[in-house]
Amino acid sequence: SWTHCLGKLRQKAMEQSPAPKIRAVEWDEGGCQSLERNLEHAGQILSSLGRPISYDVIKQDVFKDQVPSQFQNIWIPLNPPYGLRLGDEESSGRLYERIGQWLREGFAPHQQRSGFILVPDSQAFHGFERKLGASSIKGIHSFTQGGVHIRCVCFSIAAGGS
């Protein structure tokens, strides 16, 4: 039957694809503890589905992190501080510019980077876009969180792109 064939194809694909390796970088001790708990929970769920994960939580400034060269396709979900966690809008704009530049220049040429970043205001978005490059932005989704308008900006930088 069709359902049986699909099940066999899924099983074969899961057997042939490597388990995901997660590398979580956070500068704050409390953030590291939250990451550990969340990754442990996700690992339990995925293991029960036959998809174990491995992960490392690294406590350091993300701008000082060097992603090992064996990782070629890197997915980067980013939720930087904003609003009360950061301070004023000007600081937010500088931080997001720095993140855009880091995504563009902070990786080996053979490493493709894609993911998303949560952006709180127009100044932060324009700074991020300016340093990342408009062609690397693949979509923008908007929502409200705690009364703050947030943009979820999806990005992708091809290997060799800098």
Side-chain angles (χ1 to χ4, degrees):
S1 79
W2 179 248
T3 306
H4 177 74
C5 288
L6 278 177
K8 286 290 191 185
L9 285 172
R10 280 190 189 112
Q11 180 181 2
K12 187 172 184 171
M14 288 177 65
E15 290 169 359
Q16 292 178 349
S17 64
K21 172 71 173 174
I22 297 171
R23 188 179 158 78
V25 179
E26 169 65 51
W27 64 270
D28 177 69
E29 184 63 40
C32 286
Q33 291 170 1
S34 291
L35 280 169
E36 288 275 356
R37 285 190 304 272
N38 291 337
L39 289 167
E40 177 67 30
H41 180 70
Q44 290 170 358
I45 292 169
L46 290 170
S47 288
S48 72
L49 298 172
R51 294 295 298 162
I53 62 169
S54 62
Y55 63 87
D56 295 317
V57 175
I58 300 157
K59 184 181 183 297
Q60 75 174 3
D61 182 338
V62 72
F63 296 117
K64 294 179 182 172
D65 184 52
Q66 293 293 312
V67 176
S69 65
Q70 74 261 27
F71 297 109
Q72 295 180 17
N73 296 304
I74 304 164
W75 186 67
I76 308 168
L78 296 165
N79 183 13
Y82 53 84
L84 295 176
R85 287 174 39 198
L86 185 62
D88 61 29
E89 194 171 301
E90 185 178 327
S91 297
S92 176
R94 285 192 307 269
L95 173 63
Y96 282 77
E97 282 183 356
R98 190 171 175 204
I99 293 168
Q101 185 168 357
W102 170 73
L103 287 168
R104 172 76 42 210
E105 300 171 359
F107 294 81
H110 69 279
Q111 293 177 315
Q112 175 174 322
R113 303 63 99 193
S114 57
F116 67 85
I117 184 170
L118 302 183
V119 181
D121 55 57
S122 293
Q123 185 172 354
F125 172 76
H126 292 297
F128 177 74
E129 178 186 42
R130 184 171 41 258
K131 294 294 184 175
L132 181 72
S135 63
S136 295
I137 293 179
K138 304 303 178 189
I140 302 170
H141 308 280
S142 297
F143 62 94
T144 303
Q145 180 175 322
V148 177
H149 176 78
I150 303 293
R151 295 161 192 85
C152 179
V153 180
C154 301
F155 60 85
S156 183
I157 303 169
S162 60

